[in-house]
Amino acid sequence: MARRWLVVSAALLLVLAGCSSRSPSGHGRTTLTVFAAASLNTAFDEVAVEYKKAHPGVEITFNYLGSQDLVQQMQGGAAADVFASADQKNMTIAIESKLISGGPKVFATNTLVLIVPRDPKTGQGNSAGITGLDASLDGKKLVICAPAVPCGATTATLASNLGVTLKPVSEEQKVTDVRGKVESGEADAGLVYSTDAKQAGDKVETIQIPGAEKVVNSYPIAVTASSRAPAEAQSFVDFVASEAGQAVLEKYGFGKP
Amino acid sequence: MTRTPLPAWVLVAATVGLTVVAVPLLGLAVRIPWADVPTLLTSTAATQALWLSLRTCTLSMLLATVLGLPVAMLLARLEGRRAVLVRTLAVLPMVLPPVVAGLVLLVTLGRRGVVGQHLAAAGIEIGFTTAAVVIAQTFVAMPFFIVSVEGALRTLDPAYEVAAATLGASPTTVLRRVTLPMVGPAVLAGMTMAFARSLGEFGATLAFAGSLQGTTRTMPLEIYLQRETDTDSALALSLVLIVLAAVLMALPAGVRALGSRGGRVA
């Protein structure tokens, strides 16, 4: 009985060890681990497909999470080759924690828009009659990001620039949660990035906010200090900034750097 | 009553098991900025979150008790396939991922939900209110109450109930004077379990109720948010939840110990 336990524990240890070894595996193939902000999810998937056409020997695995979470994971020793942040703040924290090699490069921008739900049956949008960040929001259910998260900081800056006081019914942790609450019709309006509005497709109607173009969120990308394949990592970073990479990002609603 | 000794490897394995739980708690104790804890815990955001959690968890616990007790009583009397069916339904929220619980509540009680659209037409909107928090917590916590009480009811010696009924007591009297007093400790344990589960509720609340200070942002949501900017504050709030959870888990055993010291039969 005792021996069987030993065998099981040994097997378990082997499995765990297997999980953490992220070595560039044999057969001349290299695996890049890219830590990318959650908002880059679908866009970077497609960028990777394009990249692999030019670099068939490189495999890419993504870890999509909030930029803050990604920095915390890297501080905790998680192995990454490339870090793409949704804001300058978290890239600065990563640099100060000596997690980054070389200088980061801004590869995309994002601005805020107001979205309102569309009725799934009739296709009619904006039943609450919202026109922008104005009196039309009075008594309506507005959802925004919490000021502590990047999209919320941008929201706060925009509101103060415009001199308006927002009265949200909920301050969400993630911009995708704001989008979800508008898509489901639970909220009457939500402030999200233009990329989220694009991803929501027919489920929402987008209202541009005059002045939002002045509050730009920049996305920096860099090779990590701990990368075991720095040359390949740099080539991925370069590809993201290249014309081909930029074309994909533009398709998903990102602005030029 | 003497028991046979455990094999040595069980003790070793048990030590490993306890270490798995203890080490992360120790990690928190080492990392936490103890000197700043009082300041961190008296911020408006922290006190509002704590107060909201205590209020909503008390309500959820009471709702879980009132709604769960009849279910547990019914369940304890069912046998065979019907028992399996009812039990699966009753305890399902216990094993659902919280975010799934939030989604099912949203598509049911949300503005466009099966029930919610009729409520909305009548001017009742649950989303983004404290009521939504209580509903989410009750939904996930009630199974813990039901399981605790049903277990006790099943192991109850039916002789007492039969004797009371033979002496002419009505079913309600049997329940009130015989059954419930005997499962009292299990009811208390179930209530604390329900309270503790409500206290930790996160995913369903986030998905269904939203997050606004003083209205829907309970302790776990506040911790999740504080983590973004202020790890120390998140750790201090975590400490409060850990202490509360520990007290809740020790409470039923403590009450039982006091009860037996007083000479009453548990």
Side-chain angles (χ1 to χ4, degrees), chain B:
Chain B
M1 181 170 49
T2 51
R3 304 283 301 263
T4 55
L6 284 169
W9 63 266
V10 169
L11 295 179
V12 174
T15 312
V16 173
L18 285 173
T19 311
V20 167
V21 180
V23 166
L25 293 178
L26 205 69
L28 179 92
V30 171
R31 172 65 182 76
I32 212 164
W34 290 100
D36 303 333
V37 166
T39 329
L40 292 171
L41 291 183
T42 45
S43 73
T44 321
T47 48
Q48 285 203 2
L50 181 61
W51 177 230
L52 180 69
S53 267
L54 291 178
R55 267 188 307 155
T56 53
C57 291
T58 306
L59 277 172
S60 308
M61 177 188 72
L62 293 175
L63 273 173
T65 308
V66 170
L67 300 173
L69 196 54
V71 178
M73 290 190 293
L74 172 73
L75 202 48
R77 294 293 175 93
L78 290 178
E79 294 296 340
R81 194 179 300 168
R82 279 199 295 181
V84 173
L85 213 67
V86 175
R87 185 175 301 112
T88 306
L89 178 70
V91 304
L92 199 60
M94 194 155 97
V95 289
L96 277 186
V99 63
V100 175
L103 276 177
V104 297
L105 287 172
L106 193 64
V107 297
T108 312
L109 295 172
R111 257 182 180 180
R112 287 181 187 164
V114 185
V115 179
Q117 55 182 328
H118 302 294
L119 291 176
I124 303 167
E125 292 190 0
I126 299 168
F128 307 119
T129 65
T130 307
V133 177
V134 175
I135 292 171
Q137 288 174 351
T138 307
F139 182 77
V140 296
M142 192 159 65
F144 288 86
F145 178 86
I146 294 174
V147 166
S148 167
V149 176
E150 191 224 341
L153 285 169
R154 270 195 189 273
T155 51
L156 210 60
D157 185 350
Y160 299 107
E161 290 170 343
V162 173
T166 321
L167 293 170
S170 70
T172 302
T173 310
V174 173
L175 192 67
R176 203 163 48 83
R177 303 291 298 274
V178 181
T179 317
L180 286 182
M182 289 206 295
V183 294
V187 170
L188 187 68
M191 286 173 80
T192 52
M193 284 293 282
F195 191 95
R197 180 62 187 85
S198 299
L199 201 59
E201 169 36 47
F202 173 72
T205 309
L206 202 61
F208 179 52
S211 174
L212 192 70
Q213 187 176 320
T215 307
T216 49
R217 190 174 292 153
T218 54
M219 285 285 278
L221 272 68
E222 178 66 24
I223 291 172
Y224 187 50
L225 188 62
Q226 284 297 335
R227 217 180 44 108
E228 292 280 343
T229 46
D230 185 357
T231 316
D232 287 350
S233 177
L235 288 173
L237 288 168
S238 303
L239 177 74
V240 175
L241 276 196
I242 291 171
V243 171
L244 267 174
V247 169
L248 285 169
M249 288 302 97
L251 195 65
V255 169
R256 232 170 304 157
L258 279 179
S260 54
R261 201 184 300 166
R264 283 193 285 117
V265 182

Side-chain angles (χ1 to χ4, degrees), chain A:
Chain A
M1 195 59 191
R3 180 167 301 171
R4 190 180 301 168
W5 274 106
L6 271 179
V7 172
V8 170
S9 328
L12 207 73
L13 277 176
L14 277 178
V15 169
L16 288 174
C19 290
S20 62
S21 80
R22 174 208 49 102
S23 61
S25 48
H27 316 297
R29 298 184 75 89
T30 307
T31 300
L32 283 182
T33 304
V34 177
F35 277 30
S39 48
L40 292 166
N41 193 333
T42 41
F44 260 30
D45 280 348
E46 195 176 324
V47 168
V49 171
E50 295 297 317
Y51 172 82
K52 269 186 272 187
K53 282 180 190 162
H55 304 80
V58 183
E59 281 297 318
I60 299 179
T61 57
F62 286 106
N63 179 14
Y64 293 115
L65 267 182
S67 305
Q68 161 98 6
D69 294 307
L70 293 172
V71 172
Q72 281 185 358
Q73 287 188 358
M74 290 194 292
Q75 284 170 338
D81 295 295
V82 174
F83 173 47
S85 171
D87 62 355
Q88 299 277 13
K89 188 182 112 195
N90 281 297
M91 182 56 87
T92 307
I93 296 172
I95 292 169
E96 281 165 0
S97 308
K98 304 206 181 340
L99 295 166
I100 299 302
S101 120
K105 188 188 280 180
V106 173
F107 65 95
T109 57
N110 222 341
T111 50
L112 290 173
V113 294
L114 194 65
I115 53 171
V116 294
R118 224 187 260 274
D119 191 291
K121 284 173 204 133
T122 61
Q124 290 286 310
N126 206 0
S127 56
I130 283 155
T131 51
L133 296 184
D134 50 37
S136 66
L137 284 172
D138 290 347
K140 300 291 170 15
K141 292 181 176 175
L142 172 71
V143 177
I144 61 175
C145 285
V149 297
C151 59
T154 314
T155 302
T157 310
L158 177 63
S160 92
N161 279 4
L162 299 177
V164 293
T165 309
L166 301 175
K167 292 192 194 69
V169 291
S170 182
E171 294 170 351
E172 303 286 331
Q173 193 93 10
K174 287 187 300 218
V175 66
T176 42
D177 288 343
V178 176
R179 193 180 106 198
K181 295 227 155 57
V182 176
E183 279 181 356
S184 67
E186 210 54 33
D188 296 314
L191 270 170
V192 298
Y193 289 128
S194 56
T195 49
D196 294 285
K198 200 132 189 170
Q199 277 190 33
D202 293 343
K203 292 178 189 155
V204 302
E205 218 173 86
T206 304
I207 300 167
Q208 300 294 336
I209 309 158
E213 72 283 351
K214 294 200 185 78
V215 190
V216 178
N217 214 46
S218 299
Y219 284 63
I221 189 167
V223 177
T224 65
S226 63
S227 174
R228 294 200 212 165
E232 285 84 356
Q234 186 61 50
S235 81
F236 180 77
V237 169
D238 292 341
F239 185 82
V240 169
S242 74
E243 226 166 273
Q246 291 293 306
V248 174
L249 288 164
E250 196 183 334
K251 207 169 84 184
Y252 285 93
F254 286 99
K256 293 253 177 260

